[in-house]
Amino acid sequence: MENTLLVGLSRQMTLERQMDVVANNVANINTNGFKADRSLFEEYLRSPAHEDNFMRADRRVSFVHDRATFHDFAAGPSEQTKNPLDVAIDGNAFLVVQTAAGERYTRDGGLQINNQGQLVTASGDPVLGTSGPIVFQPTDKAINIAPDGNITVLEGTGTTDSVRGKLRLVNFADPQKLVKEGGNLYSAGQGIAAQPDTTSRLRAGFVEKSNVNSVHEMSRMIEITRTYTQISALLQQQQDLHRTAVEKLADVPA
Amino acid sequence: MRALYTAATGMAAQELNVQVISNNIANMRTTGYKKQRAAFQDLIYDHVRRVGAQASDQGTIVPVGVDIGGGVKTVGTPRLMGQGTLSPTGNDLDVAIRGEGFFKIQVPDGTFAYTRDGSFMMDAQGRVVTAQGNPVQPTITIPQNSSQITISPQGQVTVVLPGSTTPTLVGQIGLTRFINKAGLNPIGDNLFTDTPASGTPQDGVANTDGFGDLQQANLEQANVEVVTEISDLIAAQRAYEMNAKVVSAADQMLQSTSNMFR
């Protein structure tokens, strides 16, 4: 009998979760390499009562739930930083990061050098080259990251390039299967193999900004709040209707 | 409602971003200042439904999961150690480093600090000191009444002594470098100290082994680019506003819930 209430609440719950997704996108509007998430909804049908003795079967009631969030892998804008260690990826590739939990993948190209001379992410995890971590010597200068990922330096007073490694770029058959882990990192699930990427190009001295589109997020947010309040009003009306019905029907004339 | 807290992390992050930017702008005329920028990362995700989980008894696999993120955190404020422009001052004791390296300075507690600010002076004993009076290491004393102080690109300090016509070598300005100079600890007064992150200091001679050369009568300007800072400031301010809008939208939703069935 209270189907309106339940259906309405199922929608409100999904809206609340969609709002959480929008909030996370907006919070990460200045996060390098961040990819926005989107919510997907689906209808699911449920019989309101398990009673088969009626002449006609009960009509099934349609609820809604959020089926998934998917990552919007559209490229973010590149910002020039003039920092030779910053790289923006032109294409679908990811950088490979060595973490305590295993290999992780990132689009955040704001790189640093640690006290051992290793090339690391902002959180200090080594970024991997095609043959392990990339290590610089104390006398290296004029670090240059080529579009194909080759890293060269001038050693001491030398005038010819010395190679320090080549950044490993990988991609995935279905990047939607990547799981966001926080810390700008993605992990690949079981049985999902990173494939070497040969088409993407690196741009040194740039970072890829977040691909969150503020106008989209704001309009989505307005839509969510409006829908949510509309459902609240709808449920309120339904409740009033019930109350009036009970009062009217119970009103025995003297 | 989670969105409230998520947006709050966004507001806090942008507030810090504005602080970093305003410090860069405040130091845009500070000799040898190196700008900072805030680096952000997303927080951990709540995997409501994990991708790859089994969706039915028939073995259907969930193609995409439901992941709800918790917001943003500041992972660091790395310093960009890029070269600042050199501006000539005409002052003999002003020295700018063109390339790698820091001047080594002895601070009053006897330890060493490092700086790119080469606006040196002479103290009462003729020692070459920083504007705060801290001596440059190794100590260089300029004899009284000497003239024509010359600092070579390698850091050799020569003067012409009274009654002489040929220059005399009186000292050598050394340079120190770090494998991760972005990991140095700023202590104010344009000084840095070494940290476990910066690696151990490596002393050396300017213009050799990858060290930069010295430019006498020049000072290195801050590497702050005002246009970049202002556009970053606008972006940070807008991002803050948008997070505030999310807070009020989430609040509106909660309000409509609490007003139901009153």
Side-chain angles (χ1 to χ4, degrees):
Chain A
M1 147 184 158
E2 290 289 355
N3 283 336
T4 318
L5 183 65
L6 295 176
V7 170
L9 288 178
S10 82
R11 180 72 180 123
Q12 280 192 321
M13 276 164 67
T14 63
L15 284 168
E16 208 175 295
R17 227 178 244 168
Q18 195 185 5
M19 188 68 184
D20 293 343
V21 171
V22 169
N24 188 50
N25 290 343
V26 173
N28 284 290
I29 205 160
N30 268 345
T31 304
N32 288 344
F34 180 81
K35 300 294 173 194
D37 291 317
R38 302 264 172 274
S39 303
L40 289 177
F41 299 103
E42 72 182 4
E43 174 190 44
Y44 74 97
L45 298 168
R46 219 168 98 181
S47 180
H50 294 286
E51 185 55 76
D52 301 327
N53 295 337
F54 295 115
M55 291 295 283
R56 283 188 299 154
D58 254 352
R59 237 171 356 113
R60 302 223 285 171
V61 179
S62 150
F63 292 82
V64 61
H65 77 162
D66 45 349
R67 183 165 65 90
T69 52
F70 71 97
H71 314 307
D72 175 2
F73 277 111
S78 297
E79 187 191 47
Q80 189 170 18
T81 62
K82 294 185 182 162
N83 183 0
L85 292 177
D86 285 343
V87 284
I89 305 169
D90 235 340
N92 303 321
F94 293 83
L95 294 169
V96 185
V97 180
Q98 183 72 55
T99 71
E103 275 184 11
R104 295 291 181 266
Y105 310 97
T106 188
R107 295 276 299 184
D108 176 4
L111 304 180
Q112 310 279 329
I113 295 179
N114 72 2
N115 57 342
Q116 280 132 37
Q118 282 184 338
L119 191 63
V120 294
T121 62
S123 29
D125 296 318
V127 177
L128 294 183
T130 46
S131 47
I134 290 159
V135 186
F136 293 102
Q137 302 303 316
T139 54
D140 288 351
K141 60 175 185 179
I143 296 169
N144 180 52
I145 303 178
D148 62 356
N150 264 312
I151 301 178
T152 54
V153 297
L154 290 181
E155 207 171 323
T157 45
T159 48
T160 50
D161 289 345
S162 308
V163 178
R164 286 286 172 264
K166 185 178 183 187
L167 281 172
R168 202 176 133 206
L169 293 176
V170 296
N171 64 24
F172 298 88
D174 183 5
Q176 288 302 337
K177 292 211 170 103
L178 290 173
V179 177
K180 283 190 176 184
E181 291 230 315
N184 292 354
L185 299 176
Y186 294 87
S187 67
Q190 273 189 338
I192 298 162
Q195 301 148 350
D197 184 286
T198 51
T199 55
S200 297
R201 286 284 166 268
L202 294 178
R203 253 183 300 169
F206 286 81
V207 285
E208 183 184 6
K209 305 293 285 180
S210 165
N211 75 344
V212 173
N213 182 319
S214 51
V215 178
H216 283 177
E217 299 301 335
M218 286 297 113
S219 49
R220 198 165 287 128
M221 188 187 81
I222 292 167
E223 189 189 331
I224 293 166
T225 38
R226 292 282 176 260
T227 313
Y228 192 93
T229 44
Q230 272 165 21
I231 294 169
S232 297
L234 181 93
L235 297 182
Q236 179 67 49
Q237 283 163 17
Q238 172 77 5
Q239 199 69 8
D240 290 348
L241 192 75
H242 276 225
R243 190 186 300 140
T244 323
V246 170
E247 280 169 14
K248 283 263 159 77
L249 292 172
D251 191 9
V252 183
Chain B
M1 187 179 270
R2 192 176 184 148
L4 267 178
Y5 304 104
T6 308
T9 66
M11 289 174 82
Q14 297 314 322
E15 204 175 302
L16 184 135
N17 201 3
V18 171
Q19 270 168 30
V20 170
I21 294 167
S22 62
N23 187 49
N24 286 341
I25 295 176
N27 283 294
M28 61 181 278
R29 286 273 167 263
T30 304
T31 307
Y33 176 78
K34 300 295 173 192
K35 70 179 220 170
Q36 284 177 288
R37 68 162 186 224
F40 301 108
Q41 287 186 346
D42 47 357
L43 285 172
I44 52 163
Y45 285 74
D46 185 5
H47 302 290
V48 179
R49 198 193 312 186
R50 241 185 204 282
V51 61
Q54 203 153 329
S56 71
D57 295 343
Q58 284 77 45
T60 326
I61 298 291
V62 176
V64 273
V66 179
D67 303 325
I68 310 286
V72 65
K73 68 171 178 227
T74 313
V75 66
T77 53
R79 209 168 271 278
L80 298 185
M81 286 294 182
Q83 177 78 41
T85 48
L86 303 192
S87 71
T89 60
N91 184 352
D92 283 347
L93 279 177
D94 283 344
V95 196
I97 305 169
R98 197 171 60 178
E100 292 287 326
F102 291 83
F103 298 113
K104 194 176 191 176
I105 308 294
Q106 187 163 33
V107 288
D109 66 0
T111 60
F112 297 118
Y114 304 92
T115 185
R116 294 275 297 188
D117 176 3
S119 52
F120 299 136
M121 299 167 188
M122 255 186 284
D123 68 1
Q125 293 114 53
R127 289 184 307 171
V128 177
V129 295
T130 63
Q132 287 91 28
N134 299 319
V136 175
Q137 292 299 310
T139 318
I140 300 160
T141 310
I142 311 273
Q144 263 197 332
N145 300 327
S146 55
S147 56
Q148 294 178 37
I149 301 167
T150 311
I151 299 166
S152 75
Q154 285 79 31
Q156 284 140 355
V157 184
T158 49
V159 296
V160 174
L161 294 170
S164 167
T165 50
T166 51
T168 313
L169 184 69
V170 292
Q172 165 93 37
I173 296 177
L175 289 183
T176 306
R177 58 184 294 179
F178 300 88
I179 192 146
N180 175 25
K181 53 198 170 184
L184 289 169
N185 173 38
I187 55 170
D189 295 341
N190 292 353
L191 298 176
F192 297 96
T193 54
D194 55 308
T195 67
S198 67
T200 48
Q202 298 142 16
D203 296 336
V205 178
N207 218 359
T208 58
D209 292 336
F211 280 96
D213 58 358
L214 300 185
Q215 298 288 311
Q216 191 188 14
N218 278 277
L219 285 178
E220 184 186 8
Q221 300 296 307
N223 66 351
V224 177
E225 284 161 82
V226 187
V227 180
T228 319
E229 297 302 324
I230 296 294
S231 59
D232 283 356
L233 182 67
I234 294 170
Q237 191 187 355
R238 291 282 172 255
Y240 186 86
E241 281 174 17
M242 270 181 262
N243 280 291
K245 290 238 160 62
V246 173
V247 170
S248 68
D251 176 49
Q252 201 183 332
M253 284 164 73
L254 284 174
Q255 197 183 7
S256 86
T257 302
S258 59
N259 284 345
M260 271 199 288
F261 318 138
R262 62 201 175 272

